[in-house]
Amino acid sequence: MDRFRNLPEEEEQRDDVEDLFIEFVERVLALQGNSPINKCSISCICVGSVRVDAWIRNVLEPGVEELGLLIVLDLQTVGKKKGWSPTCFEGKKFVKLEISYALDIDWFDGRIFLPMLRTLILKFVDLSIDKFGSLLHGFPALEELVMGHITWSSRDAAVSDASLKRLTITSNHIAYHYFYLGTFSVDTPSLVRFCYSDYDAIDYPVVKMKSLVRLGLAFW
């Protein structure tokens, strides 16, 4: 009984800790002033998307080359299929971007353009085949794509990009038991390295990798 009686007090303490953490992050970011940050990583759980937007814009304004985001948003402040705004990624100097645990990044479709981005890492994100293709068009200099534990909106998946040179896809069998793709297409004429470790799809209707020199496959 004592355990349950103390729950409101424990929740209040957690809220206090969260407020202190948010205040600490914002104070640290404020210290940079106009000095650029070459590499920044933000990892947090249950923080509102508006505040996350502000943090990202803060490091982008003076210029950042590498940004890593492992953020589980507070579902009380965002819809089930929403997250931070794509406008917060308006950084022309980006060369590397990593996004983990985003609820759904399909809303970036057609609304994000990073002309210098060379490496994109996506882990534990939701994708749809059509909008993902449009998303990649916003990264004309992309050379490396890493995808781990991806949830596709349908049983069909595809990666199509003319400039891509390195592609790594890792298994989702731990988080999503026995998730089999219906079709998986790869249209990457400049690809030189392809590493795939996942369940095999039923069919591979498009496979274009004429420049490939290194291949690693592991089917579950």
Side-chain angles (χ1 to χ4, degrees):
M1 293 296 293
D2 290 339
R3 176 185 177 185
F4 292 100
R5 189 177 297 118
N6 292 332
L7 280 178
E9 181 179 347
E10 293 175 0
E11 292 177 358
E12 183 177 348
Q13 291 176 351
R14 284 196 297 268
D15 291 339
D16 291 341
V17 171
E18 180 179 334
D19 291 340
L20 288 173
F21 169 74
I22 291 173
E23 181 182 353
F24 169 76
V25 172
E26 294 180 345
R27 288 174 59 189
V28 170
L29 291 177
L31 291 175
Q32 78 177 93
N34 294 324
S35 302
I37 298 177
N38 293 329
K39 184 176 181 180
C40 178
S41 178
I42 300 176
S43 301
C44 55
I45 298 176
C46 294
V47 175
S49 60
V50 174
R51 195 172 298 276
V52 173
D53 282 358
W55 291 349
I56 296 174
R57 288 192 179 93
N58 192 300
V59 298
L60 288 185
E61 187 171 350
V64 63
E65 293 185 356
E66 298 185 16
L67 177 63
L69 301 173
L70 194 163
I71 299 174
V72 180
L73 296 173
D74 186 352
L75 294 180
Q76 294 181 354
T77 62
V78 298
K80 184 178 181 181
K81 287 296 181 180
K82 297 180 180 179
W84 52 80
S85 168
T87 60
C88 68
F89 289 100
E90 294 176 350
K92 306 303 181 183
K93 296 183 179 180
F94 264 137
V95 295
K96 182 177 181 180
L97 174 62
E98 178 175 353
I99 300 178
S100 301
Y101 289 94
L103 297 177
D104 185 350
I105 66 171
D106 276 347
W107 73 90
F108 287 171
D109 170 36
R111 295 190 286 172
I112 183 172
F113 180 67
L114 301 175
M116 297 180 63
L117 190 71
R118 294 197 298 269
T119 300
L120 176 63
I121 302 173
L122 302 174
K123 297 179 180 179
F124 295 99
V125 300
D126 296 347
L127 296 173
S128 64
I129 186 172
D130 54 342
K131 293 185 177 181
F132 181 57
S134 299
L135 176 68
L136 292 181
H137 290 164
F139 313 133
L142 190 65
E143 296 182 354
E144 181 176 16
L145 175 61
V146 178
M147 305 172 68
H149 307 275
I150 302 299
T151 299
W152 295 89
S153 61
S154 69
R155 299 186 70 83
D156 297 319
V159 177
S160 178
D161 189 274
S163 65
L164 199 63
K165 295 181 179 180
R166 298 177 297 277
L167 175 61
T168 301
I169 299 176
T170 56
S171 176
N172 62 8
H173 77 285
I174 297 177
Y176 309 102
H177 298 288
Y178 307 111
F179 180 85
Y180 292 92
L181 288 172
T183 65
F184 179 56
S185 297
V186 182
D187 186 358
T188 51
S190 301
L191 200 69
V192 295
R193 188 185 72 186
F194 180 37
C195 297
Y196 183 92
S197 176
D198 206 337
Y199 289 116
D200 54 338
I202 296 175
D203 189 23
Y204 300 85
V206 177
V207 179
K208 296 181 180 180
M209 296 181 284
K210 62 181 181 180
S211 303
L212 194 67
V213 296
R214 185 174 180 181
L215 175 66
L217 299 175
F219 294 106
W220 300 96

